[in-house]
Structures are given as structure tokens and as C-alpha cells.
């Protein structure tokens, strides 16, 4: 009877963690399509919300790990959902106040209060997703008992994460339709209300769920002594840089593609909706890639997978850059009047979207290679990795600045440079050359 109750509690905990995995990508992927609205008003602001979202990781990555040991998974999850509710609420406030109040100027253009409020909301949401990320990965691994079963649960959670990421830009694009000078945050407020309602229900569900607390530090318990930093291991230090670049790659590829398609100069009807639908294909391909990787990982090494996907991604982007924009292909799009239809877009969009198959396995692959042989330093390394997720805000912001000055497609040279580093890491940098450091 006791074993049955314990098994039932584990199933509930797994379901809760899977749901939280989906919520992470939902909140994170609101920023890029919302950027269509702000980028239309301020040429430099397209990726500012995304940058604020990821900037929160820099401040919250390590503290979130400490919270797990102090208050446990359950309370950390509840607190994260409450923070997310507040962040979404602040973003909604930006749709109803501050549009007529200038705060300062950038390049002679007044920056209104509503943008500042929105960026504050995005920053608060960043704290939420950072805390949730810190909870779900080790929790699913633990619930699966580690090893292959633990990895399987993480891959399943990652698939739901990708599914949520697929639907989010699609929904936002459907709400926006065409981006005009009158497009505002009020156009997407229904999605914010839905998200806030989901967060409120989630708090109640988690509050009544039984979640194991293996890392909760007990009173009087001694901390494990760490003689070195995880960064003393060369392959870990280089892996931290690789994670920083990877998250920038993952976010930057679909974001700039959405902006490219939605640009009025492209003359694509309902460009924002079409861009959102095509970006959704990218996230769907990430789901396919993660699922496929989970099937072959027992036979194909992580290093081999990483070498393959980084090489293929570079090749795909090179083709996209050099293909003339006059070559077109029909891809699934969306129109408020006709619903889902095939839409003619430059063929380079197809090659950019296919990169989703490659980026899908990079997070897990880099993490796996970077913590190999760390022993007791693994947990500390995880906190550092979470902090470096800030790359998902900084690098796409830099890419957007490049796109503003030299063009959307030319900005993908930055992505190629980052992929080249990941290729180097997979080939050489991932080797553990510090086996003399005791890890037990």
C-alpha cells in the first residue's frame, strides 16, 4: 500500500514537472513575437524584451540553486509561478498606461513609459523561468532514478517544452496579424490573461501535490567541502562559454527570421502571422530532433551528435545566406481571413528553419560533455550553466543590432561564428585534461 502511494505521488510529481517544463518555453517565447510590436515603434527594441528576460538568469541562476537547498523544490516552484504571474501582469500594464509619457530619448527619439514597464515585466518573468529551469531538470532526473530513465524523462519534458515553444509564436502571430503603426500590446492582452490564469491554477496544483525534496538541506547538516571551482576543469570552462553561445543561437535563429518575414519591405501579406507560423516550424523541428536524439543516444555518442549537428547547422546557414532572395518556396503560413495556408517566402527561410533539427540536441549535449567527470562539482557547475543562459538575451540583441544596420540575413554570420565555436568545443574543447583533480 505504501509503495503504491509512493508511486502515485511520483507520477503526480512527474506530471507537474512536465507541465512546468512547458511553461518555461511559453513564457520565454512570448518575448520575441512581442518584439515585433516594440521593434515597429523603436528600431533598436525588437529584442530588448528577450534580452531582459534572459538577463535575469545572470542574477538568479546561482541564487535559484541555493533556494532549492533552503526551501525545497515545491516552495521554489510556487514562488516561481507567483513571480511569473506578477511579471505577466506588469507586461499587461504596459498595454494600458505610459504610451503618452516620455522617460528619456534615444537618438533623438522619445522612449515612452509603456516600453519601460514592459521591459520590467519581461525581466521579472526572467526570474520565474530561471527558477523553474533550476527545478525541473534535476527533479525529473531524480524522479527517473538517474541514468537512462532520468534522461528519458528530461527528454520527454524537453519535447513538451518544444511543443509549447511551437505554439507560442503561432498564437501571438495570429493575434497580431499585420504589424502596423497602430499595433500595440493591447492586441495580445488576451494571451497575457490566459497565461496569468494558467499560472494561478498552477500555484494551486503544485501546492497540493506531493513532491520529493532530496536536496533540502536539513538543520545542522554540514556542507560538502569544495577544494576547487568547477571552472578549474578546462572542458567545463569552455563548456560554459559554449552554453552562452548556444542559447544565443537557439533564440536568435527564429527571432530574426520572424522579423525578416514580417518586414513590410518583404511585401508578404500578414507578415507577422506568417513569420510566427514559420518560427513555429523551427520549434517543432526542435521537438523532432530531441525525440530522435533520445532514440539514438544509447548507440551514438554525444560528441558524435554534436559534431554532426554543428557542422550541418553551419552548412544550412551558409546556403541560406548565399541563396538569392528571388528563389522562393511555399511554406505553411497563417492569415486571419483564410486561416492556415501555404505562403510563398524566400527559399532561404526553409534552410534557416531546418536548423531547428540541429539546435535541438545542443543544450543536453554541451551540458553532458561539460560535466563529464566532475563528481561532487557537478551541482556547482549546474548553477554556473544556468547563469550563462543570459547568452540567450545578449547574443540575439547583438544580432538584432547587426540586422538593423546591415540586414536580417547578414546577421546570421554572427550565428555561424558561434556555431563554429561549438564545433571546436565538440572536436577538441570537450576533452577532460584535468583528471588529476580529485572529484570524490
Amino acid at each position: 500500500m505504501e509503495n503504491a502511494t509512493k508511486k502515485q505521488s511520483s507520477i503526480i510529481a512527474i506530471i507537474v514537472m512536465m507541465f512546468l517544463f512547458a511553461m518555461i518555453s511559453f513564457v520565454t517565447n512570448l518575448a520575441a513575437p512581442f518584439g515585433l510590436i516594440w521593434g515597429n515603434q523603436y528600431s533598436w527594441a525588437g529584442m530588448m524584451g528577450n534580452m531582459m528576460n534572459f538577463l535575469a538568469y545572470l542574477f538568479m541562476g546561482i541564487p535559484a540553486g541555493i533556494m532549492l537547498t533552503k526551501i525545497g523544490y515545491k516552495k521554489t516552484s510556487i514562488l516561481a509561478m507567483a513571480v511569473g504571474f506578477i511579471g505577466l501582469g506588469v507586461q499587461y500594464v504596459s498595454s494600458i498606461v505610459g504610451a503618452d509619457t516620455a522617460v528619456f530619448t534615444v537618438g533623438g527619439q522619445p522612449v515612452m513609459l509603456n516600453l519601460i514597464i514592459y521591459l520590467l515585466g519581461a525581466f521579472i518573468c526572467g526570474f520565474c523561468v530561471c527558477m523553474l529551469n533550476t527545478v525541473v531538470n534535476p527533479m525529473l532526473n531524480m524522479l527517473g532514478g538517474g541514468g537512462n530513465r532520468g534522461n528519458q524523462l528530461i527528454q520527454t519534458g524537453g519535447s513538451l517544452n518544444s511543443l509549447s515553444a511551437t505554439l507560442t509564436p503561432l498564437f501571438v502571430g495570429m493575434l497580431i496579424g499585420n504589424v502596423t503603426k497602430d499595433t500595440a500590446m493591447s492586441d495580445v492582452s488576451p494571451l497575457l490573461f490566459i497565461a496569468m490564469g494558467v499560472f494561478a491554477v498552477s500555484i494551486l496544483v503544485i501546492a497540493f501535490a506531493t513532491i520529493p525534496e532530496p536536496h533540502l538541506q536539513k538543520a545542522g547538516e554540514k556542507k560538502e567541502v569544495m577544494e576547487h571551482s568547477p571552472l578549474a576543469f578546462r572542458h567545463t570552462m569552455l563548456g560554459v562559454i559554449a552554453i552562452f553561445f548556444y542559447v544565443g543561437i537557439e533564440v536568435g535563429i527564429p527571432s530574426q527570421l520572424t522579423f525578416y518575414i514580417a518586414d513590410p519591405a518583404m511585401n508578404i501579406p500578414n507578415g507577422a502571422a506568417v513569420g510566427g507560423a514559420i518560427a513555429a516550424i523551427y520549434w517543432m523541428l526542435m521537438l523532432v530532433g530531441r525525440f530522435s536524439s533520445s532514440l539514438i543516444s544509447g548507440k551514438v555518442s554525444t560528441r558524435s551528435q554534436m559534431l554532426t549537428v554543428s557542422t550541418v547547422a553551419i552548412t544550412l546557414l551558409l546556403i541560406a545566406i548565399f541563396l538569392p532572395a528571388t528563389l522562393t518556396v511555399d511554406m505553411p503560413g497563417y492569415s486571419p481571413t483564410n486561416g492556415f495556408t501555404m505562403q510563398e517566402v524566400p527559399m532561404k527561410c526553409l534552410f534557416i528553419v531546418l536548423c531547428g533539427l540541429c539546435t535541438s540536441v545542443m543544450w543536453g549535449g554541451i551540458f553532458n560533455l561539460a560535466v563529464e567527470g566532475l563528481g561532487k562539482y557537478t551541482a556547482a557547475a549546474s548553477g554556473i550553466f544556468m547563469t550563462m543562459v543570459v547568452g540567450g538575451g545578449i547574443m540575439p540583441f547583438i544580432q538584432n543590432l547587426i540586422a538593423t544596420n546591415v540586414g536580417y540575413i547578414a546577421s546570421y554570420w554572427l550565428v555561424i561564428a558561434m556555431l563554429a565555436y561549438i564545433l571546436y568545443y565538440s572536436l577538441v574543447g570537450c576533452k577532460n585534461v584535468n583528471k588529476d583533480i580529485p572529484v570524490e
Side-chain angles (χ1 to χ4, degrees):
M1 184 69 179
E2 183 179 347
N3 289 335
T5 303
K6 185 177 180 180
K7 183 177 181 180
Q8 185 179 16
S9 298
S10 296
I11 293 174
I12 293 173
I14 289 172
I15 293 172
V16 170
M17 290 302 119
M18 295 290 184
F19 176 74
L20 293 182
F21 227 139
M23 291 304 296
I24 288 170
S25 64
F26 176 74
V27 176
T28 301
N29 285 284
L30 285 175
F34 281 1
L36 289 171
I37 297 172
W38 297 109
N40 190 50
Q41 299 176 30
Y42 308 94
S43 61
W44 47 269
M47 292 302 292
M48 279 296 293
N50 181 77
M51 188 180 76
M52 295 301 292
N53 193 273
F54 280 96
L55 186 62
Y57 280 84
L58 185 63
F59 298 94
M60 198 64 198
I62 294 176
I66 296 174
M67 288 176 65
L68 289 185
T69 63
K70 296 294 184 182
I71 64 175
Y73 283 103
K74 185 172 183 175
K75 291 182 180 178
T76 301
S77 299
I78 292 174
L79 184 58
M81 302 302 275
V83 170
F85 182 90
I86 294 170
L88 290 168
V90 173
Q91 290 185 54
Y92 170 71
V93 171
S94 73
S95 70
I96 57 176
V97 301
D100 301 320
T101 305
V103 180
F104 52 83
T105 60
V106 174
Q109 182 183 17
V111 176
M112 299 302 173
L113 179 62
N114 60 343
L115 174 60
I116 305 303
I117 295 173
Y118 164 73
L119 293 179
L120 175 62
F123 187 66
I124 295 172
C125 281
F127 283 111
C128 162
V129 292
C130 179
M131 293 162 68
L132 290 179
N133 255 316
T134 308
V135 168
V136 296
N137 286 285
M139 185 67 180
L140 283 174
N141 187 61
M142 184 274 297
L143 289 170
N148 293 336
R149 173 62 176 163
N151 181 58
Q152 186 180 32
L153 288 181
I154 292 176
Q155 291 290 351
T156 304
S159 297
L160 290 175
N161 182 278
S162 295
L163 178 60
S164 177
T166 300
L167 297 175
T168 303
L170 180 61
F171 288 154
V172 178
M174 289 167 63
L175 288 171
I176 295 176
N178 265 332
V179 178
T180 69
K181 62 183 180 63
D182 298 320
T183 305
M185 283 294 290
S186 56
D187 295 321
V188 294
S189 57
L191 195 60
L192 291 173
F193 283 129
I194 292 172
M196 291 169 67
V198 171
F199 271 131
V201 172
S202 301
I203 291 173
L204 295 176
V205 172
I206 297 171
F208 288 100
T210 302
I211 298 177
E213 302 287 0
H215 296 296
L216 189 60
Q217 188 176 326
K218 299 177 181 178
E221 189 176 57
K222 291 184 178 180
K223 289 185 177 180
E224 192 169 23
V225 178
M226 301 288 180
E227 298 86 359
H228 301 275
S229 163
L231 298 181
F233 296 83
R234 191 196 71 165
H235 71 296
T236 302
M237 181 182 67
L238 296 178
V240 165
I241 299 172
I243 282 290
F244 179 87
F245 283 152
Y246 160 69
V247 188
I249 292 167
E250 179 192 289
V251 175
I253 287 176
S255 298
Q256 288 307 314
L257 180 60
T258 302
F259 294 163
Y260 174 63
I261 295 172
D263 191 332
M266 295 296 294
N267 292 318
I268 297 177
N270 301 297
V274 173
I278 293 178
I281 297 173
Y282 169 87
W283 296 108
M284 179 62 74
L285 289 176
M286 283 195 68
L287 187 157
V288 173
R290 283 173 172 170
F291 179 75
S292 300
S293 177
S294 67
L295 296 178
I296 67 172
S297 291
K299 297 180 180 179
V300 182
S301 72
T302 301
R303 185 166 176 264
S304 296
Q305 291 185 51
M306 289 296 297
L307 287 170
T308 301
V309 296
S310 53
T311 301
V312 172
I314 290 172
T315 303
L316 289 171
L317 288 182
L318 285 173
I319 294 173
I321 288 173
F322 288 109
L323 268 180
T326 52
L327 287 178
T328 60
V329 65
D330 287 338
M331 294 185 69
Y334 177 81
S335 137
T337 54
N338 301 322
F340 291 98
T341 59
M342 298 300 289
Q343 177 67 50
E344 186 179 27
V345 296
M347 186 176 289
K348 55 179 75 235
C349 297
L350 173 62
F351 288 94
I352 294 173
V353 162
L354 288 174
C355 288
L357 289 170
C358 302
T359 56
S360 61
V361 302
M362 288 183 179
W363 169 272
I366 294 171
F367 187 87
N368 181 264
L369 293 173
V371 301
E372 181 69 25
L374 288 192
K376 65 181 180 181
Y377 297 101
T378 301
S382 298
I384 297 174
F385 273 108
M386 200 54 61
T387 301
M388 286 298 100
V389 173
V390 69
I394 295 175
M395 299 314 296
F397 179 70
I398 294 174
Q399 185 184 355
N400 191 63
L401 291 178
I402 295 173
T404 302
N405 290 280
V406 299
Y408 297 107
I409 299 302
S411 73
Y412 283 96
W413 282 111
L414 176 63
V415 179
I416 289 176
M418 292 188 287
L419 285 168
Y421 176 84
I422 291 178
L423 177 59
Y424 154 77
Y425 180 72
S426 306
L427 190 64
V428 179
C430 66
K431 295 178 181 178
N432 184 359
V433 298
N434 302 104
K435 295 182 179 180
D436 56 318
I437 300 177
V439 297
E440 298 300 330

